[in-house]
Amino acid sequence: MTRNAEKELRAKDIRPSYQRKRILEYLWETKSHPTADDIYQKLHPEIPTLSRTTVYNTLRLFEKHNIIQSVVIESNEMRFDGDVSTHGHFKCLDCQKVLDIPVKDKFKFDLKDSIVMETHIYFRGICPACRKERI
Amino acid sequence: MTRNAEKELRAKDIRPSYQRKRILEYLWETKSHPTADDIYQKLHPEIPTLSRTTVYNTLRLFEKHNIIQSVVIESNEMRFDGDVSTHGHFKCLDCQKVLDIPVKDKFKFDLKDSIVMETHIYFRGICPACRKERI
DNA sequence: CCTTTTTTTGTATTCATTACAATTTTGTAT
DNA sequence: ATACAAAATTGTAATGAATACAAAAAAAGG
């Protein structure tokens, strides 16, 4: 099942401009949790007129509409994830990569007097690949 | 049990200067998860010569020695917590406060091939107080 | 004291993100 | 098609938290 960016944007009443479609498609096809600048660097060759501001605007728009989610692990970098389902992240302190972690539904917190709108879980450590390299 | 900042710093081979002691004591006595600037604003009247750089340096030093932990929820604000035990946080999107959330030991993640050094859990939503106000 | 090391401080810099205004593109009605 | 209005994109300027750096001050150890 290949998702249709144009359709899904229209469904949220967002005009499917070329830039928006490509940004969304890129977030769907990568699992690297890119930063806004990563996305700009990746798409700039293909869309020469693309501006960083458009990338930032678009990401903010998408997040507001729950089409993507932002992943904040370091205070100086905002990463983006095309998968909005609740899942955890693992940041490797060696290679700096951010990996997805399946998180079961064991999350029943006693926050009965609060309204929980978002749940974020992440770990920091050494990923399997880097661990192997260390022998 | 009142903890002794001077002692605990010495135990970690950190010279207990007045600035360092007061920063640590302040983090112990507050549960507000202040930013570096919050800490500066709070201690500045009492220590007129205090500089923001000292606050930043000290916080980084403390975190490296696992005396405090940083709490990153928004990408543009780093907060600090004098409680280094594993616990969750809840950020209220109304009043912006960050509250502690006790987190049981139900966290057994299948990360067997990784080395997990830090676990972070936080929620975003509306806190009990703000929820009541909304009636 | 005097010298060396450590800590603190103020200023300058960095860098991701946002603000803003101008330009371009798109949608709609004539 | 053409003109007009609305929306999206763009480039530049501004913001602001965090860091770099070097000088001044304080502390340690003879």
Side-chain angles (χ1 to χ4, degrees):
Chain A
M1 58 109 226
T2 12
R3 297 169 74 180
N4 186 325
E6 184 155 344
K7 255 189 168 175
E8 299 204 21
L9 288 175
R10 280 232 169 78
K12 297 259 185 180
D13 270 319
I14 293 170
R15 298 243 175 92
S17 71
Y18 186 61
Q19 290 89 331
R20 287 172 176 173
K21 280 190 285 180
R22 291 298 299 123
I23 290 171
L24 182 53
E25 282 164 2
Y26 179 58
L27 282 170
W28 280 348
E29 76 200 26
T30 187
K31 290 193 171 295
S32 67
H33 308 85
T35 64
D37 202 63
D38 290 337
I39 296 168
Y40 171 76
Q41 296 298 341
K42 176 72 182 185
L43 297 182
H44 179 56
E46 172 192 339
I47 313 170
T49 65
L50 185 64
S51 113
R52 255 171 261 262
T53 301
T54 298
V55 177
Y56 278 108
N57 287 343
T58 302
L59 292 170
R60 229 171 344 139
L61 179 73
F62 286 176
E63 189 179 15
K64 202 171 58 183
H65 284 81
N66 202 41
I67 294 168
I68 64 170
Q69 67 173 314
S70 60
V71 178
V72 177
I73 295 179
E74 313 291 344
S75 74
N76 62 336
E77 72 171 19
M78 212 169 172
R79 288 163 171 265
F80 295 90
D81 193 336
D83 176 1
V84 291
S85 73
T86 297
H87 62 280
H89 293 107
F90 183 95
K91 167 131 185 183
C92 178
L93 301 175
D94 248 28
C95 66
Q96 310 296 316
K97 279 185 191 139
V98 173
L99 309 172
D100 287 317
I101 301 290
V103 154
K104 332 244 183 233
D105 298 309
K106 1 171 155 175
F107 290 90
K108 298 286 180 208
F109 287 94
D110 34 20
L111 302 176
K112 48 179 173 300
D113 291 327
S114 311
I115 302 169
V116 177
M117 298 163 85
E118 297 171 25
T119 299
H120 298 262
I121 297 146
Y122 68 89
F123 308 89
R124 287 159 54 97
I126 309 299
C127 75
C130 288
R131 193 175 163 222
K132 263 186 192 158
E133 254 177 32
R134 290 181 166 194
I135 306 173
Chain B
M1 60 106 223
T2 11
R3 298 168 74 180
N4 186 325
E6 183 155 346
K7 254 187 168 173
E8 298 203 22
L9 288 174
R10 280 232 170 77
K12 298 259 185 178
D13 270 319
I14 294 169
R15 298 244 174 90
S17 71
Y18 186 62
Q19 290 88 331
R20 287 171 176 174
K21 279 190 287 182
R22 290 298 299 123
I23 290 171
L24 183 52
E25 283 164 2
Y26 179 58
L27 281 171
W28 280 346
E29 75 200 26
T30 187
K31 290 194 172 294
S32 67
H33 309 85
T35 64
D37 202 64
D38 291 337
I39 296 168
Y40 171 78
Q41 296 298 341
K42 176 72 182 184
L43 297 182
H44 178 58
E46 174 190 339
I47 313 169
T49 64
L50 185 64
S51 111
R52 256 171 259 261
T53 302
T54 299
V55 177
Y56 279 108
N57 287 343
T58 304
L59 292 170
R60 230 173 341 143
L61 179 73
F62 286 177
E63 189 179 15
K64 200 171 60 185
H65 285 79
N66 203 41
I67 294 167
I68 64 170
Q69 66 173 314
S70 59
V71 178
V72 177
I73 295 179
E74 313 290 344
S75 74
N76 62 334
E77 74 172 18
M78 212 168 170
R79 289 163 171 264
F80 295 90
D81 192 337
D83 175 2
V84 292
S85 73
T86 296
H87 62 281
H89 293 106
F90 182 95
K91 167 134 187 182
C92 178
L93 301 176
D94 248 27
C95 65
Q96 310 295 317
K97 280 186 191 138
V98 173
L99 310 171
D100 288 316
I101 301 290
V103 154
K104 331 246 186 235
D105 298 308
K106 357 174 158 173
F107 291 90
K108 298 286 180 205
F109 287 94
D110 34 21
L111 301 176
K112 47 180 173 297
D113 292 326
S114 311
I115 302 168
V116 177
M117 298 163 84
E118 297 171 25
T119 299
H120 298 262
I121 298 146
Y122 69 89
F123 307 89
R124 286 159 55 97
I126 309 298
C127 76
C130 288
R131 193 177 163 220
K132 263 186 194 159
E133 254 177 34
R134 289 183 167 193
I135 306 175

